[in-house]
Amino acid sequence: MTEFTLDPSKTACVFIEFQNEFTTEGGKLHGAVKDCIEATGTVENAAKVMKSAREAGCTIIHCPIMFEKGHNEISKTPYGILAGVKEGEAFTNNEWGSEICDGLKPEDGDLVVKGKSGLCGFHSTNLDFLLRQNNIENVALAGFLTNCCVESTMRSAYERGYRVYTLKDCCGATSVAGQQAAYEYTFGLFSIPTESGEFLKSLTKD
């Protein structure tokens, strides 16, 4: 793995959809990702990154997805992944399932993205504004789903000129095989795939 160093003052960690629907027993989509996140250690690794990166001086950004009751933001004839979200009434605003999970909740000084009701963390949100207002050059991504929202956000960050790092052991998908396929065939095209330990070692205060 190629060694790299990052200035924490120019680095943001974006945590995508670490919400109870995915992360916690009883969440509407937890069963779909449970095997993958247990095999990867997704939630535990992400919590370590969040704590250490925050202490190092990185910008911590939470990127939840939410819908109003009824999910009228989504088409009346949805298909693909959003059809399942609407039919299952997942990530409904002001309900337990849409809350950010214990262990990764925002703290003072963290930023929370507003407006995410689709797959990409940039489209329809203020994420780019938050990054640019904080003079961010490096973006490290973690979250759900590896080959959906994380990948969509990764591609957009890449095209916007950020230096993108994907934390492979801090992501989760509906299957280990699907996650590995994304890492093997896609992530290297639009990011620097790495793991939490390597990322944290890279943070320097020069």
Side-chain angles (χ1 to χ4, degrees), residues 26 28 35 57 63 74 80 85 90 100 102 117 137 139 164 180 206:
K28 292 173 181 174
D35 289 347
C63 189
I74 301 175
V85 170
I100 293 174
D102 291 342
S117 56
E137 298 176 2
V139 175
V164 187
Q180 290 303 319
D206 294 333

Side-chain angles (χ1 to χ4, degrees), residues 16-17 63 65 81-82 85 116-124 144 148-153:
I16 300 169
E17 297 174 22
C63 189
I65 186 171
I81 191 166
L82 289 178
V85 170
K116 188 176 189 299
S117 56
L119 308 182
C120 175
F122 287 90
H123 187 68
S124 82
F144 301 89
C148 184
C149 294
V150 175
E151 183 171 323
S152 294
T153 306

